Structure formats: C-alpha cells, structure tokens
Amino acid sequence: MKVLVCVKRVVDYNVKIRVKSDGTGVDVANVKMSMNPFDEIALEEAVRLREAGVATEVVAVTCGVTQCQETLRTAMAIGSDRAILVESTDELQPLAVAKILKALVDKEQPGLIILGKQAIDDDSNQTGQMLAALAGLPQATFASKVVVADGKATVSREVDGGSETLSLKLPAVVTTDLRLNEPRYVTLPNIMKAKKKPLETLKLADFGVDVTPRLKTLKVVEPPKRSAGVMVPDVKTLVEKLKNEAKVL
Ligand code: AMP
C-alpha cells in the first residue's frame, strides 16, 4: 500500500510573527520556515506504517514555491521514500490545494492519504476535508490512533465529551491530531541519505486546475496587548470583581 503524505512549508512555530505594516498579511521575509508540525506527525505515522510492513511506499507531497524542496528533503530525512513538489508562486488557498491533491491522488492511487489537521499559518483546517469530498473518499479527521488492516483503517478521534472510533474502507483520507504520535528527530545520516532520494517537480500549469483565490483577506492586525493583571486580597473580592467589573458571573 502506498501512503501519500501532504506536507506544508510554514513559518516555524518558534518564530514570533510580525504583521506587515500595510496590514495585508504576515511578514515572511527572512523568517525561519519549517514543516507544519501536524504534517510531521502525519509523516511519522506513514513511516511507522511502512516500518510495520503495512505500507510499502511513503510519498511526501507539497504545493508551493521552489523553496518547499527543503521541506521535502526534511520529509525524506524523516523517512519518506520520495517526494513530489507541485511548484507554484500563486497564493494557494485550501480549496486550490485540495484540487491539486485530488489530481495527484488520481495519478498516484495511494491506499491512504494523511494530512495534518491544520496548517499553523492559516489555521484553516479545511484541506483534508475538501480533498476527501473532491476525491469521493471516506475521511477521519483529528486522528489520535490509526490501525490499518484488511483493507480498512480504524481511526480513533477525540470528540466533545469522549472518543470516537471510525472504520474506513481504503483508500481513505486521515488528518492528524497532536496525540497521534511523537515524531522522530532527523538524524545527520538520514539527512545525507535524503539528498539521494527522488524529488519530482511538477508544474501547476500541467494540472489544469483552477486555483483562483475564493477568499479575500481584508486586514491582518496584531492581537490587542494584554493589560496588566490585578492582585486581589481574597476570594470574596475576586467574586465581587468578576460580578461587578468583569460582569462574567
Ligand atoms: P489547512 O486546511 O490549510 O489548515 O491545512 C491542513 C493540512 O493540509 C496541512 O496540515 C497539510 O497536511 C495539508 N496542506 C495544506 N496546504 C498544503 C500545501 N500547500 N501543500 C501540501 N499540503 C498542504
């Protein structure tokens, strides 16, 4: 079984992001970029499936600018066998990415497609769901456990008030939650090995997919500064303040 893992290059989670002075977006010039953390988890899960003999091949895929090749080299250092970059300088919103991924799913015919539950740059939490809808495949989002056997994936996922277990007929789309696994560290020998693994670059134009943005960002602003806290002498004063000042009780 082939597993397709979708990875996105995003601003590193340790970076304190700055809003551009004209309020049109986030400044990414000279900022450290990394693989979306949920996608590392997706990749780790796919590599574990291959190591367990359940999957035969892990293919990492990303849609974006030429520099995304770095992210794909990291993916191959973590353990994917090969990688595909769909190169584009256009802004790619989740629907556009889902359409491209659908075309890749048609071409690659994977048994399982794993994505992150969300990308930490746009926090959309849409691509996996849209891909499943476009490809007509079953989906299980926010997976905290995945077991693949007998042409089925059994996926546990946390829901409000408990945990739910779904059984999906393969091929299927799964998106990862934080609890699914702890991704491995990339080792130097694996970074060296990854340099020799195949990285295929495809042009967006060859997909014949309409990637016109459907959403318009009106304004991006910094979150309001938090005002200083107040020390209260006792619980009685706290309750009074919550009632009369904050008006939350
Ligand atoms: P989002 O819907 O933007 O929050 O992204 C959810 C997941 O979709 C990410 O964790 C990735 O696995 C995948 N994804 C989003 N954008 C891309 C992209 N440009 N290339 C590859 N995968 C992507």
Side-chain angles (χ1 to χ4, degrees):
M1 180 185 70
K2 187 192 289 185
V3 183
L4 197 69
V5 183
C6 309
V7 298
K8 187 178 188 188
R9 180 176 181 262
V10 296
V11 173
D12 187 272
Y13 70 95
N14 285 308
V15 171
K16 186 169 180 329
I17 56 158
R18 289 182 315 264
V19 171
K20 283 186 194 163
S21 52
D22 61 3
T24 55
V26 166
D27 192 357
V28 290
N30 303 318
V31 163
K32 183 175 181 224
M33 307 293 283
S34 299
M35 185 185 299
N36 182 42
F38 290 104
D39 304 349
E40 285 184 16
I41 296 171
L43 204 49
E44 175 68 36
E45 197 63 20
V47 174
R48 287 186 193 186
L49 285 172
R50 194 197 53 217
E51 287 169 348
V54 176
T56 46
E57 190 186 27
V58 177
V59 184
V61 50
T62 194
C63 315
V65 292
T66 315
Q67 291 87 329
C68 293
Q69 286 184 358
E70 290 164 22
T71 317
L72 291 174
R73 287 285 167 211
T74 307
M76 291 189 284
I78 293 173
S80 82
D81 299 290
R82 61 186 173 95
I84 303 171
L85 167 64
V86 180
E87 201 171 10
S88 163
T89 49
D90 295 343
E91 180 205 355
L92 295 176
Q93 293 183 347
L95 180 59
V97 176
K99 287 181 185 170
I100 299 168
L101 294 175
K102 148 87 170 73
L104 273 179
V105 167
D106 290 346
K107 181 168 178 261
E108 293 284 335
Q109 297 286 312
L112 185 65
I113 305 116
I114 315 183
L115 303 89
K117 77 165 175 184
Q118 71 194 69
I120 60 165
D121 52 359
D122 57 22
D123 273 342
S124 294
N125 179 357
Q126 294 173 351
T127 311
Q129 295 88 326
M130 287 174 167
L131 169 63
L134 291 172
L137 296 176
Q139 60 174 302
T141 52
F142 316 151
S144 52
K145 187 173 175 209
V146 177
V147 178
V148 178
D150 306 327
K152 279 189 311 194
T154 309
V155 178
S156 309
R157 53 194 303 272
E158 277 166 37
V159 290
D160 284 349
S163 148
E164 176 181 71
T165 305
L166 301 176
S167 177
L168 316 177
K169 201 161 161 274
L170 300 180
V173 175
V174 169
T175 75
T176 61
D177 205 347
L178 270 187
R179 258 174 277 274
L180 181 59
N181 61 49
E182 204 173 310
R184 68 196 64 191
Y185 287 105
V186 178
T187 61
L188 189 59
N190 284 345
I191 294 175
M192 302 312 287
K193 272 190 218 152
K195 289 186 202 275
K196 297 208 179 89
K197 292 186 181 178
L199 194 165
E200 187 183 1
T201 301
L202 305 171
K203 294 274 170 233
L204 177 62
D206 299 339
F207 283 75
V209 162
D210 175 14
V211 294
T212 319
R214 306 289 179 95
L215 307 170
K216 192 171 161 207
T217 303
L218 300 180
K219 199 161 90 175
V220 178
V221 291
E222 298 270 358
K225 293 252 176 309
R226 282 183 68 174
S227 49
V230 186
M231 292 290 281
V232 289
D234 49 36
V235 175
K236 189 166 163 268
T237 325
L238 174 65
V239 173
E240 257 166 33
K241 279 188 176 291
L242 289 174
K243 232 186 219 166
N244 304 323
E245 286 180 25
K247 298 197 190 314
V248 292
L249 292 181

